[in-house]
Amino acid sequence: MVAARSGARTVLLERYGHLGGMATGGIVIQIPHMSDGGTEPVIAGLALEWLERLDVIGGTLRPRMEDIGSDDPALVARWRRFMGNVVNGLVELSKRSFAVTPEMGRSSGEARMHMRKAMNAMEGSNGYGASHEQGLAMGSLNKAAMQV
């Protein structure tokens, strides 16, 4: 990307029909946690540029940069209602399909547990604990996604 912007003739190759991971391939617009558990953002560079461009057309669901790390009860309550959307979707799918295996269900359950712990840590102003639990939740979600 930098080479192309600098004027070099550039070819971008990708083995799939899109760049990125679950946010693009899975059409996931919710990017819930963008910090180190405190007030320091961890998304920057091209990823942040793309998110900001998508914001303009309503293509993301994420906290504003100035809200990252906030322990404002109203903000925590607002974002809490979105936590678990992916896991809840898998649970609902499992009720209607055999596509969700017991292993996927287990991974989804682990993700839900870690998300709950992350939210509790946020409410207790424990940024490190929230970040740690969210990392574990994302690991469990990735494990479930790999089983699809």
Side-chain angles (χ1 to χ4, degrees), residues 3 21 62 78 81 83 88 90 92 109 112 117 124 140 147:
R62 67 184 183 103
R78 177 179 194 273
R81 68 181 237 237
M83 294 303 288
N88 293 337
L90 280 174
E92 288 303 311
R112 181 179 269 174
K117 287 181 177 182
S140 294
Q147 295 166 349

Side-chain angles (χ1 to χ4, degrees), residues 9 19 21 28 40 45 47 54 56 60 64 70 74-75 83 86 88 92 96-99 117 121 124 135:
R9 290 182 52 192
L19 296 174
V28 175
E40 195 62 37
L54 287 167
V56 174
T60 64
R64 297 176 307 166
S70 173
L75 283 173
M83 294 303 288
V86 174
N88 293 337
E92 288 303 311
R96 297 177 176 84
S97 168
F98 291 110
K117 287 181 177 182

Side-chain angles (χ1 to χ4, degrees), residues 13-141:
L13 300 174
E14 169 59 41
R15 72 180 198 172
Y16 300 110
H18 58 83
L19 296 174
M22 286 299 292
T24 51
I27 312 174
V28 175
I29 66 165
Q30 180 177 336
I31 314 292
H33 190 69
M34 298 172 35
S35 76
D36 62 356
T39 58
E40 195 62 37
V42 295
I43 293 181
L46 284 174
L48 181 58
E49 178 185 334
W50 292 344
L51 285 173
E52 289 172 342
R53 291 171 93 184
L54 287 167
D55 284 343
V56 174
I57 60 170
T60 64
L61 177 62
R62 67 184 183 103
R64 297 176 307 166
M65 294 303 277
E66 59 267 23
D67 293 340
I68 291 175
S70 173
D71 59 0
D72 175 0
L75 283 173
V76 171
R78 177 179 194 273
W79 289 106
R80 170 172 232 145
R81 68 181 237 237
F82 295 108
M83 294 303 288
N85 280 353
V86 174
V87 173
N88 293 337
L90 280 174
V91 170
E92 288 303 311
L93 177 62
S94 73
K95 294 176 184 175
R96 297 177 176 84
S97 168
F98 291 110
V100 178
T101 65
E103 292 79 16
M104 289 172 64
R106 188 174 307 109
S107 296
S108 299
E110 289 172 5
R112 181 179 269 174
M113 174 192 67
H114 290 300
M115 282 188 230
R116 194 173 305 116
K117 287 181 177 182
M119 290 305 297
N120 290 338
M122 282 178 61
E123 288 173 349
S125 298
N126 178 357
Y128 175 79
S131 179
H132 176 73
E133 289 297 334
Q134 183 172 14
L136 294 173
M138 291 305 296
S140 294
L141 281 175

